[in-house]
Amino acid sequence: MFSSFRFNWLLSTAALAPQICVVGSGPAGFYTAQHLLKHHRLARVDIYEKLPVPFGLVRFGVAPDHPEVKNVINTFTQTAHSDRCAYYGNVTIGKDVMVKELQRAYHAVVLSYGAEDNRILGIPGENLSGVYSARAFVGWYNGLPENRDLKPDLSSETAVVLGQGNVALDVARVLLSPLDILRKTDITEGSLAAIACSKVKRVWLVGRRGPLQVAFTIKELREMINLPGTRPLLDPADFTGLGDVIKDIPRPRKRLTELMIKSAREKPGEKEAALWASATKEWGLKFQRSPLEVLPATDGKQARGIRMAVTRLEGSGESARAVPTGEVEELECGLILSSIGYRSLPLDSSIPFDPKLGIIPNSLGRVQGAPGLYCSGWVKRGPTGVIITTMNDSFDTAQSVLEDLQTGVLNLSNSKEGFKSVRSILHSRGVHPVTFSDWEKIDAAEVARGKLAGKPREKIVDPQEMLQLISH
Amino acid sequence: MAAPVAAGGGTVTRRLLLGAAGGLRLRPARGFRTAGGLQVEDETCTAEPAGDVVNVVFIDRSGRRIPVQGRVGEDVLRLAQRHDIELEGACEASLACSTCHVYVSQELLDKLPVPDEREEDMLDLAPQLQENSRLGCQIILTKELEGAEFTLPKITRNFYVDGHVPKPH
């Protein structure tokens, strides 16, 4: 009788440990996990990732020449090392294991799988050779396996980037940066070699609206203005009268616009003037141009230019709308990168998804109509924002989970097996998860290879090679 | 475990200490770069920096006042993390994020050196930016800051839910 009492006691304490899983190992996944682990002493959090390697856009989205932004990986590594946290890479939720199966194994499932796709232009000629999404281009130079064979055509002098956000600035900067800078970063060897042969000398960032609606931020704009070997092409006429308009607007927009006005209208200082005079490459902003059609070359397969509608603005500020004036303009170019936004996809037919907004319908991170299901990050809010936005949002979702644990909405007396049951499902389907210490072997190999080339790492871009390295 | 070198030049080695009940506590031990460019390396995991004591108060995200002892030369982000106050430093003091955003009193604002343009650029991205916003990693403690208060912005709906373990039934 004593032993059965003890057995029941052990069962009941084990039943008190919430089993939680997170789908996606980017900032949203890791910050949600971090907050849960910190604020619940018993919770176990398992993080699933479809690639063998973790960290999502921190690894595959942040530009190679922005290594400080990637320092957050150290924070995430700490979390992964917690003995109540486990990382399982090479597991695709929605294919290798379904969300319903996760819900049977865990008290709570948090969907943090981000935005793997991009918005499309929806214009004729979009599929001509020479036209790519900025997302694929970024994936290409950052070693995202699915984009490793992109082979972008960099043989024309002029490139047009459609969109005026930080991703647009990133791709322009990578196209125009001196090779001496790029070759010391973690840009992939293959893309560096291609960029070394690039003929691109001029990049236009084209937006449908005006200077007051640009989506990029001041740090990145400053960086572009000061990019060695390049000169900015900003038309002073685009900024006429803006000085008065911005007097009373919020500080971030005001400072950003002031910098553009200054760069466009003020005479450059001696040093700047000298740098710009000797520049061999250039970049510029074109406003109030909306893409209508990508124009084909005579072979009918290659892009040779873009036709755009000239627009005027109705309304002002963030809600200003671009309306066609009837006037049309053409710009000659052989490389077009559409940078008009990332886009989330539905993971699994059982999860509610709003295709129009591209998010999982939710209230404070609780998925609508699906108890036990939560979401954080871009798949919850939409694909915009920097690390702090995602961090705050993930902490918010974790708060919802913690509240639900406290109030009993998540019923801990239903004991859940967590990874134990998922492991047998994966095993029966021939799927071998990659653990965090497996990732650390891959990490060490990348760093060692990078050292030989004077880079922080040389990314492995073939998932098979990654798996072979860890003998899977 | 590999300790990647932060791009700012400092090494980051943070250790996890598990409390008796299995709680997660973070005690950062890292070299860091102060705003003045000095590099300071820690030898042990909980070593306090050298320098005179400066007493300050953090007001955490749930409004709780937490008095702590800092040291002259230490930055406020590091001070917070040394005392388990929930201030994040995603970019590790490289002026590449705004996660260490804090509010300071007006009189303190007047005592502090004017922020670098790069700090202003990052503050522009901080949610709930106010006149008295600063980045914690850029505030270096001096004797003059004795009694200073640093308020963490309320970034989520509420922060009181903490570690409750429901009673078994």
Side-chain angles (χ1 to χ4, degrees), chain B residues 98-133:
Chain B
S98 55
T99 58
C100 66
H101 173 210
V102 293
Y103 301 129
V104 306
S105 64
Q106 187 54 52
E107 51 170 282
L108 176 57
L109 206 57
D110 297 336
K111 282 190 199 152
L112 293 172
V114 169
D116 196 76
E117 183 181 73
R118 295 175 304 156
E119 180 182 349
E120 300 276 37
D121 286 355
M122 293 323 299
L123 278 170
D124 279 357
L125 297 179
Q128 292 154 59
L129 181 68
Q130 291 175 182
E131 289 273 340
N132 61 337
S133 287

Side-chain angles (χ1 to χ4, degrees), chain B residues 72-149:
Chain B
V72 170
E74 187 173 25
D75 71 79
V76 166
L77 169 62
R78 177 162 195 244
L79 174 62
Q81 292 187 335
R82 227 165 30 86
H83 288 91
D84 281 343
I85 288 160
E86 279 191 278
L87 194 57
E88 290 291 324
C91 75
E92 295 171 359
S94 335
L95 288 171
C97 79
S98 55
T99 58
C100 66
H101 173 210
V102 293
Y103 301 129
V104 306
S105 64
Q106 187 54 52
E107 51 170 282
L108 176 57
L109 206 57
D110 297 336
K111 282 190 199 152
L112 293 172
V114 169
D116 196 76
E117 183 181 73
R118 295 175 304 156
E119 180 182 349
E120 300 276 37
D121 286 355
M122 293 323 299
L123 278 170
D124 279 357
L125 297 179
Q128 292 154 59
L129 181 68
Q130 291 175 182
E131 289 273 340
N132 61 337
S133 287
R134 291 296 305 260
L135 293 183
C137 68
Q138 301 300 303
I139 302 174
I140 308 302
L141 292 179
T142 61
K143 283 307 279 173
E144 250 205 320
L145 301 189
E146 178 75 17
E149 293 188 352

Side-chain angles (χ1 to χ4, degrees), chain A residues 34-35 39 41 71-72 74 78 81 83-84 217-219 222 251-252 255 364 388 392 396 399-400, chain B residues 1 4 14 16 18 22 26 86 88 90-92 94 98 117 120-121 124-125 155-158 163:
Chain A
Q34 174 187 314
H35 195 85
H39 290 275
R41 282 135 157 247
N71 284 347
V72 73
N74 297 330
Q78 277 247 270
H81 284 160
D83 69 353
R84 289 182 288 121
T217 50
I218 195 168
K219 176 173 191 267
R222 239 188 256 288
R251 180 188 123 147
R255 288 180 80 239
L364 303 175
I388 191 173
N392 291 349
D396 226 22
Q399 279 302 103
S400 294
Chain B
M1 120 186 164
R14 288 161 72 185
L16 288 172
L18 293 172
L26 296 166
E86 279 191 278
E88 290 291 324
C91 75
E92 295 171 359
S94 335
S98 55
E117 183 181 73
E120 300 276 37
D121 286 355
D124 279 357
L125 297 179
I155 58 178
T156 69
R157 293 162 287 120
N158 59 61

Side-chain angles (χ1 to χ4, degrees), chain A residues 232-411:
Chain A
L233 302 170
L234 300 170
D235 184 350
D238 286 333
F239 302 90
T240 322
L242 276 191
D244 292 321
V245 173
I246 63 170
K247 277 200 170 71
D248 294 312
I249 64 175
R251 180 188 123 147
R253 178 63 68 186
K254 183 169 182 209
R255 288 180 80 239
L256 176 63
T257 313
E258 279 171 349
L259 178 58
M260 277 190 282
I261 295 172
K262 173 172 180 282
S263 309
R265 295 180 76 92
E266 270 180 33
K267 218 170 107 135
E270 229 182 274
K271 215 172 105 187
E272 244 172 8
L275 285 169
W276 291 352
S278 63
T280 52
K281 300 184 182 175
E282 39 191 37
W283 66 277
L285 300 172
K286 278 196 192 294
F287 298 105
Q288 294 178 229
R289 301 290 184 271
S290 179
L292 290 173
E293 182 180 351
V294 178
L295 305 167
T298 41
D299 69 356
K301 299 199 197 111
Q302 183 74 31
R304 68 156 171 84
I306 187 159
R307 178 177 293 139
M308 305 174 294
V310 176
T311 70
R312 60 178 173 78
L313 294 185
E314 268 181 15
S316 64
E318 313 294 325
S319 58
R321 277 174 342 275
V323 175
T325 59
E327 234 189 286
V328 158
E329 213 175 77
E330 282 183 16
L331 188 48
E332 202 180 299
C333 55
L335 173 63
I336 294 165
L337 295 168
S338 89
S339 185
I340 60 175
Y342 280 60
R343 194 167 65 113
S344 295
L345 297 176
L347 186 67
D348 175 317
S349 55
S350 70
I351 302 177
F353 189 83
D354 181 332
K356 194 152 167 277
L357 295 175
I359 59 170
I360 295 175
N362 71 93
S363 175
L364 303 175
R366 295 179 177 95
V367 177
Q368 277 171 9
L373 214 51
Y374 302 80
C375 55
S376 68
W378 282 8
V379 81
K380 168 189 175 191
R381 284 182 356 259
T384 60
V386 291
I387 199 85
I388 191 173
T389 355
T390 290
M391 184 189 90
N392 291 349
D393 162 295
S394 302
F395 288 177
D396 226 22
T397 292
Q399 279 302 103
S400 294
V401 177
L402 291 168
E403 278 169 20
D404 291 353
L405 283 170
Q406 186 179 50
T407 58
V409 165
L410 291 171
N411 189 354

